Structures are given as structure tokens and as C-alpha cells.
Amino acid sequence: MSTDYEKPGTGEEDEHMQQLEVPDEKVLDGALPSPVSAPVPRSSKSTKLSAAAIIPIWIVLSSSVIIYNNYLYNTLEFRFPVFLVTWHLTFAAIGTRVLQRTTHLLDGAKDVHVSKDMFLRSILPIGFLFSGSLILSNTAYLYLSVAYIQMLKAFNPVAILLISWTFRIQDPNKKLAMIVFMISAGVALASHGELRFNLIGFLTQAAAVAFESSRLVMIEILLHGLKMDPLVSLHYYAPVCALINLLVLPLTEGLAPFYEVMRVGPLVLLSNACIAFMLNVAAVFLIGAGSGLVLTLAGVFKDILLITGSVLIFGAMVTPLQVVGYSIALCGLVLYKTSGSK
């Protein structure tokens, strides 16, 4: 929650898909929205310097958010994903407004005019999907290891393609079909080799992928051409999603998480939300940090680090079959990202 902000085109038939994917953590499993559009000027020397600086920072922050969330859920036994996502979004809603008043990071919000009709027809339904994606992806950590979830996330591009083909946003072709088969086969092998497979966790993560993919496709349909970087997107979506989650919270977790806050410690939750928000800020700079291939490779490296960290820190078990399957899926992902690039 890896993909990149700027997907190299695969020809005119892929033009509509270039806005649909973002770096994985990306969906950060904490609060990272994708940009609706991310036009960022690049210059040779400054771009290289910024890439060398921001990509490692993004990798560290993205990995830290996921590992920290998993630590909260399974080590500290604060097993309240709806509350945690709501807290992240509330913090982000406040944080973006502070940044808007004190920095130039949200100057892009001045170019976005949200009418009542646009809010009801676009922002609200996309926010609903975003909220569902975040809740479901975080809930999956209650049942599955970080390593296995990262392997399942490799299926995200396939889900996006399948939905885009269904809505005729993009036409299928043999090359993309081969890539879909390659990624699907790799994820299937990784799932077959999972020693601690949990059906509830698998279905939860599958639903999270469906929500997130639908959200990205809906952005293309409803907000095509609208320029919103990750922070501007978060500025608009965080309050909407936080409110939706607040309505869901009494029906799912009730008052229990509020009683547990003092046991875990307010500073723990505050630092957790700060790291998640810093990831959003880093994402703005990540957009202009390098080419699509560079960001894809950075995302792949981050996923490998997360899987390794999951094994070393949380004792996750990764089988040789999973290594083979995930390697196949990653090859398909890189092929998808680089297909047609010059």
C-alpha cells in the first residue's frame, strides 16, 4: 500500500491509467491517499539530489508506519484498527490545515474548487472507498503477517487493470494479459506456501485491495484532470473519512479503544500518527524524486525490507515457495511498470 506516482505509458491505450497508481504505502495502511494528478517539473541535477535524499526517507517512513501499526496491534495488543485509522485521519485533517496556514505545501488546494455537487458525487463516494480500504487493510494485520500482506499487495495492479477493463477505461491486450497472469500466478504460489494462512485475514485483505482499486478507478472516472497531490488529497479526504469512521466506530469497536488508550500510552499513539503524517509529507516530495522505474525499484526494495523485517522482528515464517512466487509477482510488476517506456 509497490506502485509509483508516475507510471510509464504503454502506448496511447494506457493513457488513462497513468494516474491510477501510487507508491504503496501509498495506502500506507495508515493514511496515504493517491494523488489525482501529480505534475511535477524535473530538472537534472536537483532531481538526482532530491531522489538520493527523499527515496531513503520515504522507504524508512513507509516501512516504519507498517511495522509500528503491526507492533500496536499484535505486540501491544491494541487491536482496534477502526479507532487507529480514525485517529490517523483526524490527526491528518488537523495537520494539513496547520501546514496550509504555515507553509506552501498545500498551495495546490487554491486551484481545487469543491462545489456541493462535486462533494456529493465525487469526494464522498471516493472517501467512502478510501475509508473502507484503510480499515480493511489495517484489520488484515490482526490475522496475517506483514510479510504475507506485502505479497498479497502485489495483486493491486491486477485488480486495477481488471476493474479498468470492466469499465472500459483501458482495453486489454496480450502483453497486459500475460502480466496479469504472471502476477496472479506469483501471488497464488505465495499464498499456497503461506504456513499461517488465515481465511478471514485473506478475505479481509482481498476486500481491501478491491476497495482501493475501485477508489483509484473512480478517481479516474470522476476527477479526471483535477490536479491534487497527496497532501491536497488528504486535506479534502481526511475529514470526510474520519467522519465516516466515527459513524462506524460505535458499531465495530465501541468504547473499548478509548479505555485502552491509557494502557498503551497517549505518546505511543501520538508518535504513531506523527510518523504516518510525515509519510504523507514525504510523498509530496517523492512525486518529483525520480522516474517511474526508479520509484518502482524503490518500492520493490521497500517491500523486500518489510518482509525481511517481518521475519526478523515479528518471527514471520517465509517458505521457499513464497520466495519463488513473490519473485515472479515482482518481475511481473516491474515488467508492467516499464512496459512501453523509452
Side-chain angles (χ1 to χ4, degrees):
M1 103 238 49
S2 293
T3 53
D4 59 74
Y5 282 97
E6 188 169 337
K7 177 177 98 55
T10 56
E12 292 184 2
E13 71 277 12
D14 292 340
E15 181 181 356
H16 294 295
M17 289 299 293
Q18 293 181 4
Q19 297 172 325
L20 294 183
E21 299 183 59
V22 295
D24 273 58
E25 284 30 46
K26 67 181 190 182
V27 190
L28 88 53
D29 300 324
L32 177 66
S34 64
V36 176
S37 180
V40 178
R42 292 188 174 92
S43 58
S44 56
K45 189 173 181 180
S46 62
T47 297
K48 291 180 180 178
L49 290 174
S50 63
I54 193 60
I55 289 179
I57 293 174
W58 174 77
I59 289 175
V60 170
L61 288 173
S62 181
S63 302
S64 297
V65 169
I66 294 175
I67 291 175
Y68 203 162
N69 285 358
N70 190 67
Y71 173 75
L72 271 172
Y73 295 140
N74 297 306
T75 301
L76 297 183
E77 296 187 351
F78 187 80
R79 302 173 71 83
F80 305 104
V82 178
F83 175 88
L84 188 63
V85 170
T86 305
W87 163 234
H88 279 193
L89 291 166
T90 302
F91 187 94
I94 297 172
T96 53
R97 279 148 183 81
V98 171
L99 288 181
Q100 186 181 35
R101 292 177 178 272
T102 58
T103 72
H104 295 288
L105 290 175
L106 278 107
D107 285 353
K110 299 175 182 177
D111 300 324
V112 179
H113 304 286
V114 179
S115 63
K116 181 179 179 181
D117 184 66
M118 178 183 175
F119 177 83
L120 294 175
R121 294 190 178 188
S122 302
I123 302 296
L124 190 59
I126 292 173
F128 172 79
L129 292 173
F130 184 29
S131 180
S133 170
L134 290 174
I135 290 174
L136 290 167
S137 62
N138 275 264
T139 302
Y141 288 100
L142 303 182
Y143 305 97
L144 305 175
S145 69
V146 170
Y148 182 43
I149 288 176
Q150 294 309 119
M151 295 178 188
L152 291 178
K153 285 180 181 178
F155 193 77
N156 279 8
V158 173
I160 292 173
L161 280 173
L162 293 177
I163 295 174
S164 66
W165 289 346
T166 300
F167 286 93
R168 298 186 179 279
I169 295 176
Q170 183 180 12
D171 295 325
N173 57 55
K174 291 182 180 180
K175 189 171 186 177
L176 287 177
M178 181 194 71
I179 292 172
V180 165
F181 175 78
M182 192 174 180
I183 296 176
S184 300
V187 173
L189 282 176
S191 297
H192 185 66
E194 173 64 21
L195 296 177
R196 298 176 180 174
F197 182 84
N198 182 288
L199 182 59
I200 295 177
F202 176 81
L203 293 176
T204 300
Q205 181 58 35
V209 169
F211 268 75
E212 177 62 10
S213 302
S214 299
R215 179 181 75 90
L216 293 173
V217 173
M218 188 170 287
I219 284 175
E220 170 63 16
I221 295 174
L222 298 180
L223 300 178
H224 182 69
L226 188 63
K227 299 177 181 180
M228 295 170 66
D229 66 32
L231 272 183
V232 174
S233 296
L234 193 63
H235 176 76
Y236 285 104
Y237 287 113
V240 176
C241 295
L243 182 58
I244 293 173
N245 288 2
L246 281 174
L247 297 176
V248 173
L249 186 59
L251 304 176
T252 54
E253 298 170 357
L255 296 176
F258 295 94
Y259 297 132
E260 289 291 299
V261 165
M262 296 308 300
R263 179 184 65 81
V264 173
L267 289 179
V268 172
L269 293 176
L270 181 62
S271 62
N272 179 257
C274 283
I275 294 174
F277 187 68
M278 287 167 59
L279 174 59
N280 288 278
V281 177
V284 176
F285 297 97
L286 178 69
I287 297 172
S291 66
L293 178 59
V294 170
L295 299 183
T296 296
L297 295 177
V300 169
F301 180 66
K302 183 216 69 177
D303 287 345
I304 293 173
L305 282 180
L306 271 174
I307 292 173
T308 304
S310 177
V311 173
L312 297 177
I313 299 173
F314 300 110
M317 301 178 68
V318 176
T319 64
L321 184 60
Q322 285 185 296
V323 173
V324 173
Y326 189 54
S327 298
I328 293 173
L330 287 183
C331 288
L333 177 61
V334 173
L335 181 62
Y336 171 60
K337 291 297 180 179
T338 57
S339 59
S341 58
K342 302 300 181 183

